């Protein structure tokens, strides 16, 4: 296999922790431009199932599939379905799952995808090609739901003011472009020179919401736990604190050994399904950040599957849900 066209964020560290070996079967849950996948295929004898919900990523990977001589299956799907995707390939267990979550620079840089407040385009923000767009959410969500979305998923303190202004303005003209929404936020949220763009948090919130990114991640981690063979590796690179918190909580809960009270009955203690490989997250070095500013917020966490059974799924967190909001519920 030839080398990657660009070096993905924390690529070297991610592959080092995944530790692909001859004869192993791996899942790259976020194919993107295929940087991680190429590195896995560089190891002779590996087999790889790669997933992306974005059809353009799948089309872009067609040539790599062809050159892989049957070692790479590239599937258009959500990574929350990764266990079913493997089963459809006739695979029940795998030796490693790697996830590099979030949007790709290819998606961010294309005005037509509507992710960027810096480029004018349709207010879309979907990574895949189905479901409601950001424009649909901005047009239909109640003021309370918009404020919750922007506050919880964007960690934006001015969420109520922004939601009120959206609802007031959309009566006259629906928001259909990234520029219109970015201008509204800039009008409502004052910023000083040197601050991040005032629309950064609102755009992040809508993107996470439209793509159900947190639910996807939580479901995919549990799916990875079910398909990983004992000794198999889970490696996750995330880009903001909400995602990293999910990964951190999942891995710390799954790797807890006993702990609790010695007076508790033994049945209450579920053996750990993972052993941590990274006590603290790995972050990009100054060199990588200098070449790729996006790497600044990247965090890598990794763990090795034990032979204990997968845990029961815990409670789902209480983020605003796309289906509830679009149903008006
Ligand atoms: C940061 S990029 C991955 C870059 C990749 N590691 C590389 O080396 O080129 C993230 C990719 O994951 C995809 N993605 C994000 N969330 C997804 C999900 N829930 N299901 C499937 N694909 C997803 C995006 O469409 C995007 O192409």
């Amino acid at each position: 296999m030839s080398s990657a066209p660009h070096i993905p964020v924390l690529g070297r560290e991610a592959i080092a922790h995944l530790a692909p070996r001859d004869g192993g079967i791996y899942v790259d849950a976020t194919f993107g431009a295929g940087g991680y996948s190429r590195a896995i295929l560089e190891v002779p004898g590996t087999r790889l199932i790669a997933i992306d919900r974005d059809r353009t990523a799948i089309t872009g990977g067609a040539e790599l599939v062809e050159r892989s001589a049957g070692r790479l299956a590239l599937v258009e799907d959500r990574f929350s379905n990764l266990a079913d995707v493997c089963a459809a390939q006739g695979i029940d267990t795998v030796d490693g799952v790697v996830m590099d979550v979030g949007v790709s620079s290819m998606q961010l840089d294309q005005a037509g995808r509507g992710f960027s407040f810096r480029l004018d385009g349709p207010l879309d923000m979907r990574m895949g090609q189905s479901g409601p767009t950001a424009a649909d959410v901005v047009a239909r969500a109640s003021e309370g739901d918009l404020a919750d979305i922007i506050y919880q998923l964007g960690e934006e303190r001015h969420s109520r003011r922004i939601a009120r202004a959206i609802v007031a303005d959309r009566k006259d003209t629906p928001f259909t472009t990234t520029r219109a929404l970015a201008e509204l936020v800039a009008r409502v949220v004052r910023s000083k020179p040197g601050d991040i763009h005032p629309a950064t948090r609102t755009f992040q919130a809508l993107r996470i919401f439209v793509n159900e990114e947190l639910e996807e991640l939580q479901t995919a981690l549990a799916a990875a736990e079910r398909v990983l063979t004992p000794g198999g590796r889970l490696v996750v690179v995330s880009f903001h604190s909400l995602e990293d918190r999910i990964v951190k909580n999942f891995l710390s809960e799954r790797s807890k050994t006993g702990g609790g009270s010695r007076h508790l009955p033994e049945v209450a203690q579920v053996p750990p399904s993972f052993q941590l490989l990274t006590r603290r997250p790995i972050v990009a070095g100054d060199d990588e950040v200098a070449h790729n500013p996006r790497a600044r917020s990247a965090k890598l966490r990794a763990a090795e599957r034990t032979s204990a059974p997968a845990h029961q799924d815990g409670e789902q967190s209480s983020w605003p849900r796309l289906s509830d909001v679009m149903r008006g519920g």
Side-chain angles (χ1 to χ4, degrees):
M1 297 284 146
S2 69
S3 58
H6 73 120
I7 301 169
V9 176
L10 291 172
R12 222 184 312 273
E13 293 83 352
I15 299 303
H17 282 84
L18 188 70
R21 56 168 176 78
D22 190 349
I25 304 177
Y26 300 90
V27 175
D28 177 357
T30 51
F31 179 77
Y36 285 13
S37 284
R38 281 186 183 79
I40 295 166
L41 291 167
E42 298 258 356
V43 179
T46 48
R47 226 182 122 187
L48 178 63
I49 299 167
I51 302 171
D52 205 295
R53 68 193 295 181
D54 186 345
R55 194 162 304 149
T56 57
I58 303 298
T59 318
E63 199 195 321
L64 187 63
V65 174
E66 216 155 282
R67 280 191 288 124
S68 76
R71 289 168 58 209
L72 168 64
L74 183 52
V75 181
E76 180 184 336
D77 207 328
R78 293 172 165 233
F79 57 50
S80 53
N81 292 331
L82 71 86
D84 291 341
V85 170
C86 290
Q89 300 292 325
I91 288 166
D92 297 329
T93 57
V94 302
D95 300 288
V97 175
V98 64
M99 309 173 65
D100 179 16
V101 295
V103 270
S104 67
S105 40
M106 297 182 297
Q107 289 165 333
L108 275 175
D109 294 345
Q110 278 175 15
R113 302 298 300 267
F115 286 105
S116 172
F117 46 76
R118 296 184 197 286
L119 308 168
D120 194 24
L123 191 56
D124 189 325
M125 299 197 195
R126 292 170 307 168
M127 293 184 201
Q129 277 69 31
S130 59
T133 62
D136 295 330
V137 173
V138 168
R140 287 178 46 197
S142 68
E143 184 179 326
D145 282 339
L146 281 171
D148 277 356
I149 293 165
I150 297 168
Y151 182 70
Q152 290 198 44
L153 304 180
E155 300 179 308
E156 167 61 85
R157 340 187 244 122
H158 303 294
S159 56
R160 304 225 162 270
R161 231 190 298 158
I162 297 168
R164 202 175 316 132
I166 289 175
V167 170
D169 278 26
R170 77 185 179 190
K171 285 199 196 101
D172 299 325
T173 326
F175 288 89
T176 54
T177 64
T178 49
R179 176 164 298 154
L181 183 64
E183 284 177 357
L184 171 129
V185 181
R187 209 178 70 215
V188 176
V189 179
R190 273 174 218 248
S191 66
K192 300 188 291 301
D195 283 355
I196 56 168
H197 189 288
T200 307
R201 295 195 178 89
T202 300
F203 271 62
Q204 172 188 304
L206 284 169
R207 193 202 87 207
I208 294 175
F209 184 69
V210 162
N211 294 292
E212 303 178 282
E213 288 177 40
L214 304 185
E215 293 93 318
E216 277 291 305
L217 179 57
Q218 206 161 44
T219 309
L221 293 172
E225 181 187 26
R226 292 195 302 277
V227 299
L228 278 168
T229 196
R233 300 277 181 95
L234 173 63
V235 181
V236 187
V237 176
S238 66
F239 288 88
H240 57 74
S241 55
L242 295 169
E243 287 169 347
D244 182 55
R245 205 172 307 150
I246 291 174
V247 181
K248 180 181 165 192
N249 290 346
F250 174 85
L251 289 180
S252 79
E253 197 268 318
R254 282 352 197 224
S255 60
K256 241 188 324 215
T257 41
S261 158
R262 66 194 160 88
H263 304 297
L264 278 180
E266 235 162 70
V267 284
Q269 302 199 353
V270 185
S273 55
F274 280 102
Q275 189 179 0
L276 296 183
L277 297 171
T278 50
R279 295 240 150 247
R280 290 171 176 283
I282 293 177
V283 295
D286 294 345
D287 242 25
E288 182 165 8
V289 174
H291 287 102
N292 181 359
R294 225 181 131 247
R296 198 181 315 123
S297 49
K299 291 201 164 117
L300 181 154
R301 294 184 189 269
E304 188 168 298
R305 187 74 172 84
T306 67
S307 55
H311 290 200
Q312 295 285 330
D313 267 345
E315 262 174 48
Q316 291 269 321
S317 311
S318 57
W319 310 293
R321 305 275 157 169
L322 186 63
S323 53
D324 294 342
V325 168
M326 295 314 278
R327 205 187 302 128

